[in-house]
């Protein structure tokens, strides 16, 4: 899909009004990941109001339909130094700080907290996952020009192996695993270095 633009929720409200924004969000369906659908419908607006994240809709210019969305956050990230190869240590040390005891690297990363396409649309009207992630990278590159930063993080649920291939195709690599006590899920934390435009 080439004729798609991206706007955050406030911009969409300004362009289409509150009813237009609500219709786009209410019409979003993602049966492959109910959490992605739930987030856009119940949490995205509140998170933006609180300033904890920014959600962007990808909108088809011709139909004015939401074809997908992503949510971006600035997040602290820690990874244990033990187990990292020397090349991984060299790469990550350019963007992180090693703590005083030399056990943990810490960085401020861009997190793609949510990403999903709208399955309510016919197949020919859907955006590809690759195009959607490139739209997210474009927003992050704009942020990078303003404040710097190079690392992008995604949390992939370990029980979703197809997503591993997708993220690898988009230059992410596995760095760490974590268990979320909140939702009882194990995550593969994958990072990539954001390439300049």
């Amino acid at each position: 899909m080439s004729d798609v633009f991206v706007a955050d929720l406030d911009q969409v409200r300004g362009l289409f009004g509150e009813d237009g924004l609500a219709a786009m969000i209410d019409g979003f369906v993602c049966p492959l990941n109910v959490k992605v659908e739930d987030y856009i419908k119940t949490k995205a607006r509140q998170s933006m109001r609180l300033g904890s994240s920014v959600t962007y809709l990808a909108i088809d210019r011709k139909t004015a339909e939401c074809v997908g969305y992503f949510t971006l956050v600035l997040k602290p990230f820690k990874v244990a130094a033990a187990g990292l190869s020397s090349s991984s240590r060299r790469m990550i040390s350019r963007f992180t700080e090693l703590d005083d005891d030399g056990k943990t690297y810490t960085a401020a990363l861009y997190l793609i907290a949510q990403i999903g396409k709208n399955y309510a649309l016919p197949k020919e009207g859907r955006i590809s996952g690759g195009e959607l992630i490139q739209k997210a990278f474009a927003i992050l590159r704009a942020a990078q020009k303003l404040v710097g930063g190079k690392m992008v993080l995604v949390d992939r649920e370990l029980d979703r192996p197809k997503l591993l291939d997708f993220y690898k195709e988009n230059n992410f690599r596995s760095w760490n695993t974590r268990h979320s006590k909140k939702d009882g899920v194990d995550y593969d934390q994958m990072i990539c270095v954001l390439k300049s435009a």
Side-chain angles (χ1 to χ4, degrees), residues 24-42:
M24 286 182 193
I25 289 173
D26 291 343
F28 187 90
V29 176
C30 189
L32 298 179
N33 191 335
V34 178
K35 290 178 189 174
V36 168
E37 183 177 334
D38 179 62
Y39 182 85
I40 189 68
K41 290 183 175 181
T42 65

Side-chain angles (χ1 to χ4, degrees), residues 44-80:
R45 288 179 267 194
Q46 177 68 12
S47 292
M48 274 195 65
R49 277 192 290 276
L50 295 173
S52 59
S53 67
V54 179
T55 295
Y56 294 85
L57 301 185
I59 300 169
D60 186 312
R61 287 184 197 276
K62 294 176 188 169
T63 64
E65 292 180 298
C66 172
V67 296
Y69 87 92
F70 53 87
T71 300
L72 303 177
V73 178
L74 189 60
K75 181 176 178 80
F77 176 72
K78 290 187 177 195
V79 64

Side-chain angles (χ1 to χ4, degrees), residues 20-197:
L21 173 61
M24 286 182 193
I25 289 173
D26 291 343
F28 187 90
V29 176
C30 189
L32 298 179
N33 191 335
V34 178
K35 290 178 189 174
V36 168
E37 183 177 334
D38 179 62
Y39 182 85
I40 189 68
K41 290 183 175 181
T42 65
K43 298 177 180 130
R45 288 179 267 194
Q46 177 68 12
S47 292
M48 274 195 65
R49 277 192 290 276
L50 295 173
S52 59
S53 67
V54 179
T55 295
Y56 294 85
L57 301 185
I59 300 169
D60 186 312
R61 287 184 197 276
K62 294 176 188 169
T63 64
E65 292 180 298
C66 172
V67 296
Y69 87 92
F70 53 87
T71 300
L72 303 177
V73 178
L74 189 60
K75 181 176 178 80
F77 176 72
K78 290 187 177 195
V79 64
L84 290 178
S85 67
S86 57
S87 63
S88 293
R89 284 176 191 250
R90 277 192 306 276
M91 192 277 288
I92 200 169
S93 67
R94 294 186 307 222
F95 313 111
T96 61
E97 288 187 21
L98 186 61
D99 66 3
D100 290 337
D101 62 6
K103 293 183 179 178
T104 306
Y105 289 97
T106 303
L109 303 172
Y110 298 115
L111 170 66
I112 301 176
Q114 301 288 336
I115 189 166
K117 54 186 177 179
N118 190 355
Y119 286 88
L121 302 174
K123 197 168 188 174
E124 62 276 2
R126 293 183 201 154
I127 193 168
S128 73
E131 187 176 355
L132 191 57
I133 207 163
Q134 291 306 315
K135 299 282 186 195
F137 285 162
I139 298 291
L140 293 175
R141 284 188 196 98
Q144 182 184 45
K145 284 185 178 182
L146 295 172
V147 297
K150 274 285 217 193
M151 310 275 297
V152 182
L153 171 70
V154 293
D155 277 340
R156 178 190 66 86
E157 292 180 22
L158 281 174
D159 65 354
R160 294 181 180 266
K162 286 185 178 180
L163 286 179
L164 178 62
D165 293 336
F166 168 72
Y167 285 122
K168 282 184 173 181
E169 289 168 9
N170 286 283
N171 299 316
F172 285 88
R173 58 190 282 197
S174 296
W175 277 95
N176 196 32
T177 56
R178 73 172 181 90
H179 178 76
S180 171
K181 291 179 183 175
K182 181 180 176 183
D183 57 11
V185 175
D186 291 321
Y187 291 97
D188 176 14
Q189 295 185 303
M190 301 183 75
I191 62 172
C192 79
V193 176
L194 186 64
K195 296 178 182 172
S196 300

